[in-house]
Amino acid sequence: MSTTTYLIKNASVLGGAPTDLLVRDGSIAEVGSLGAVEGAVELDAAGLIALPGLVDLHTHLREPGREDAETVDTGTRAAALGGFTAVHAMANTDPVADTAGVVEQVWRLGREAGFCDVFPIGAVTVGLAGERLAELGAMADSAARVRVFSDDGKCVSDANLMRRALEYVKAFDGVIAQHAQEPRLTEGAQMNEGELSGVLGLAGWPAVAEEAIIARDILLAAHTESRLHVCHVSTAGSVELIRWAKSKGWPVTAEVTPHHLILTEDLVTGYDPIYKVNPPLRTAADVEALRAGLADGTIDAVATDHAPHPHEDKDCEWAAAAMGMLGLETALSVVQATMVDSGLMTWAEVADRMSARPARIGQIDDRHGRPLAAGEPANLVLVDPAATRTVDRTALASLSQNTPYQGMELPGAVVATFLRGTPTVLDGKLA
Ligand SMILES: [Zn+2]
């Protein structure tokens, strides 16, 4: 391999004392106080934090089928700009990623784009219809080597199917990522159920609809001794249930989205569909519990649930609008604002929740989420924590513009992202 050699000077690895990193032939060759290296391009990283490349467990890339909202190419550009070197692509495409053929197509598109590694998630049930199991084994054995399975967007609400899926993926240490939403309790639901939904006259989405499925599924995970991952936890009660499951030593992990760490249901008051999302924005008390759960490790990972939608699906009345918001290009800034600048988490803990643990959950920790040490693959991101930026939806790399942070000032900026030693982002721009 004959790629450029980079000497990164005075970076603060995981927020520690400044040091140098030599990046050569796809790997981190040396870490420490290094002299000049012949032929190396020097990058001045004074004041910048170095983290392992971020790993997203929950990205909607929309291809195949909704290339008007996002493509693998545009979505992975957004990911690289957000500091990600790996994303897991959700299965609710058209056609659904429920066969070896479709997951291999997504995997190939990711390789062709080259901005970050794309790991397809396989559907749990055929067509996300919740009726019979998809070909989980064939997807696991495919070139895409699928380890995460999810019907995300829909809940695997049939307890027997959920049990069988958990039993099936044990053979290859797979994991079922559940979108926990009891369908009968959320028919027609539009926003968090509470005082405010009554005032606004919107059908409520009770916390118990999420918590009832999580309670059932953690018991199924214990019973089958198979791995359950809970997608986008949004209520204080959900955090309590996961804390309880972990106290029992059961194989349960969970993620929280950036938007559920910072936004609350009060934003719905203006009926602007930009704030319509599944699961819905909750209360300030829920946000506080989610932050505490992420800080103490009950919640393993931050996952974006990046959900691009074109104008026509969002610029309409609340009831008709699609659910979901962008996340890749703002995730790290939101985590800095809510968790680091607030003193709840260190940068080392950010690396754990946004890189190491999601890589382990996705079974890609042989390549991603590694320590920044000699001999490891050079997947890393340099962040300027002192920078601030005002979010401009027209300047995002995503094909869609449905960010809830339009016009907001957020801390931190991704300066550079390296994928296997090659910059995908330099000086804050795509390389
Ligand atoms: Zn979901």
Side-chain angles (χ1 to χ4, degrees), residues 214-265:
I214 295 175
R216 181 199 77 179
D217 285 355
I218 58 184
L219 294 172
L220 286 173
H223 179 74
T224 59
E225 298 179 331
S226 182
R227 291 198 297 136
L228 168 74
H229 178 70
V230 185
C231 295
H232 43 50
V233 166
S234 73
T235 77
S238 298
V239 179
E240 277 308 301
L241 286 164
I242 290 154
R243 193 172 280 129
W244 175 70
K246 289 196 165 183
S247 76
K248 298 282 193 182
W250 295 341
V252 175
T253 57
E255 70 188 33
V256 63
T257 71
H259 47 270
H260 287 108
L261 289 173
I262 194 169
L263 307 178
T264 61
E265 62 169 3

